[in-house]
Amino acid sequence: MADIKLLLTGATGYIGGSILTQLLQSELPIIKRIKVTAVVRQESQAALLREHGVNAIVFSGLEDTELLQQLASEHDMVINTASTFHPASAKAMILGLAARKKQTTQAVHFIHTSGTGSIADLPLSSTYLDNRKHSDKDDTYSYLKKREEEGPFPQRSTDMLVVDTGLQADVKTYTLMSPTIFGVGTGHFNKLSIQVPFFMRAAVEAKHAQVIGEGASIWSDIHIDNLSDFYEFLISKILSDEDVPHGKKGIYFTETGEHTWMEVSKAVAKAGLKLGALPTEEVEKLSLEQAAEKWVGGNLMFTELGFASNSRSQADLAKELGWTPKVGLLNLEHACLEEFRAVMSETQKDDKLLTKANVAKKVSEGKSD
């Protein structure tokens, strides 16, 4: 049978790297037929991926939309994990897939990696209040569109563009909106996410864990291994020509549980004390203004959105398709120990530590790495 050509962006990131490992190690016959092309920024990264059977191509970045469109036109599927805030590159790859479909008359697929920041509220500033749990069986597209009309948000704007461009170009799109992701990744490069490790780094600097306000707001969550497993599961369903919701109905939440921010801070404090990284299990309560100044150089909106908002989701579509998460990976508190060890072992501090300027940049650009 013919190979299935897949283009992956973000292979050096936390999510993309873990997905790549999952696909390369898969025992599913349909997944074994996939030949992966990954775009990376450095030759050293490309060389390492080539050693693992990946066709790695060095490019200048997501701004090179001409190259991305050309590469997409040579592939049957694209998994976009590089950035949730870069509409031009997403559109270019969808248009490239449309050209591929026209040339081959075969189905093409675009899997877009987004986050549930697109449905998050801003409760402390009372800018927007919404702490209900959203099901992906509801009309998520219309909800996102309404939120955009009330106030544009770059990640959500890209989500809308992906769906709309796919419909216009007759390309099946699948938008995976992930909540807080925890656990150590399995990729060859970045192995840590943003939110929980950031709380750990901030705690080490302050010598105790911290939280904004009472930490009562709630986010859904998922372990990175469960998330990678769902990507593999969804891809296998798509490639097996099963009836998989796409387009406006193909917006998936990828959660397995939920937490309050206080629960995260307490888990960080407990893990830090156990590992000797913190002298106490104390959790300091900061005002939004204090946290923004200490953590991200004063950016109130992104501090509240990333570390104090409500973002509750329910993965009903995944369950209807037959996906079953691995139960042993559902405990965030247990995973904090593993993550804290990884944070403590970081050696390239200039690259890895989320400084005030760096964390604001990463959160605002929707980086997974």
Side-chain angles (χ1 to χ4, degrees):
M1 301 178 73
D3 291 338
I4 300 164
K5 302 183 69 176
L6 185 152
L7 175 65
L8 173 67
T9 70
T12 62
Y14 174 64
I15 298 175
S18 298
I19 293 170
L20 179 59
T21 298
Q22 184 82 18
L23 296 179
L24 293 178
Q25 295 180 354
S26 177
E27 294 299 323
L28 297 178
I30 192 72
I31 301 296
K32 286 178 172 290
R33 290 173 50 199
I34 292 176
K35 300 300 180 184
V36 180
T37 296
V39 287
V40 296
R41 293 174 184 264
Q42 300 175 21
E43 179 56 39
S44 59
Q45 296 168 336
L48 178 59
L49 292 180
R50 289 174 191 136
E51 291 177 5
H52 291 84
V54 177
N55 176 32
I57 296 174
V58 178
F59 78 143
S60 59
L62 295 177
E63 292 73 21
D64 193 350
T65 54
E66 184 175 345
L67 174 61
L68 289 173
Q69 184 167 338
Q70 176 191 329
L71 288 173
S73 72
E74 300 167 357
H75 291 79
D76 308 302
M77 175 179 284
V78 172
I79 302 177
N80 181 32
T81 74
S83 173
T84 64
F85 285 30
H86 204 284
S89 58
K91 182 175 183 178
M93 289 184 283
I94 293 172
L95 294 178
L97 286 172
R100 171 77 169 183
K101 182 176 182 180
K102 184 176 181 180
Q103 178 187 20
T104 65
T105 70
Q106 301 297 313
V108 292
H109 309 275
F110 185 81
I111 299 177
H112 179 62
T113 302
S114 185
T116 58
S118 292
I119 65 170
D121 68 356
L122 296 166
L124 299 186
S125 61
S126 298
T127 306
Y128 192 90
L129 301 175
D130 185 0
N131 64 357
R132 62 187 163 126
K133 184 174 287 189
H134 296 258
S135 168
D136 50 16
K137 287 192 66 179
D138 297 334
D139 188 355
T140 307
Y141 175 86
S142 294
Y143 174 81
L144 295 175
K145 192 174 183 65
K146 182 175 181 293
R147 286 288 300 269
E148 272 297 280
E149 292 170 352
E150 295 171 350
F153 173 56
Q155 179 175 264
R156 191 165 52 237
S157 301
T158 305
D159 298 340
M160 296 288 89
L161 177 138
V162 165
V163 175
D164 293 341
T165 303
L167 292 172
Q168 294 163 9
D170 195 23
V171 172
K172 292 181 179 180
T173 62
Y174 314 82
T175 303
L176 275 57
M177 297 177 64
S178 293
T180 294
I181 309 171
F182 63 93
V184 176
T186 58
H188 295 290
F189 303 95
N190 183 25
K191 296 181 181 293
L192 292 172
S193 187
I194 294 177
Q195 288 168 304
V196 176
F198 175 75
F199 271 88
M200 293 172 177
R201 298 181 182 104
V204 170
E205 184 176 349
K207 295 183 172 54
H208 53 256
Q210 298 173 315
V211 72
I212 300 175
E214 297 299 319
S217 294
I218 300 171
W219 265 60
S220 300
D221 55 44
I222 187 171
H223 191 285
I224 183 62
D225 289 355
N226 268 326
L227 181 60
S228 301
D229 180 73
F230 177 64
Y231 272 83
E232 178 191 25
F233 172 84
L234 183 67
I235 292 167
S236 69
K237 291 286 186 180
I238 292 170
L239 295 180
S240 298
D241 295 325
E242 295 193 25
D243 185 16
V244 179
H246 58 274
K248 291 182 179 180
K249 295 183 178 180
I251 300 174
Y252 295 81
F253 295 137
T254 62
E255 57 75 39
T256 58
E258 61 181 20
H259 61 267
T260 67
W261 291 114
M262 179 60 83
E263 287 172 341
V264 171
S265 294
K266 287 183 176 180
V268 166
K270 186 175 182 179
L273 180 63
K274 185 171 184 178
L275 295 173
L278 300 177
T280 176
E281 285 191 28
E282 173 193 352
V283 176
E284 179 188 11
K285 296 178 182 178
L286 304 174
S287 68
L288 177 60
E289 292 74 17
Q290 287 174 321
E293 185 59 35
K294 286 176 178 287
W295 295 351
V296 295
N299 192 320
L300 288 171
M301 195 274 279
F302 283 114
T303 303
E304 184 175 12
L305 181 70
F307 307 106
S309 60
N310 293 288
S311 180
R312 305 181 69 192
S313 56
Q314 194 162 305
D316 291 324
L317 281 178
K319 294 170 186 174
E320 278 201 353
L321 286 174
W323 178 63
T324 303
K326 301 170 185 175
V327 177
L329 299 175
L330 304 185
N331 192 320
L332 186 148
E333 182 177 323
H334 177 74
C336 270
L337 278 171
E338 183 186 23
E339 285 189 85
F340 219 135
R341 288 191 185 96
V343 168
M344 292 170 63
S345 68
E346 289 173 338
T347 54
Q348 297 178 328
K349 293 185 178 181
D350 289 342
D351 294 331
K352 294 294 185 181
L353 287 183
L354 296 182
T355 62
K356 290 179 179 179
N358 198 20
V359 71
K361 184 173 186 294
K362 283 179 175 288
V363 174
S364 66
E365 292 180 353
K367 297 288 188 180
S368 63
D369 55 357

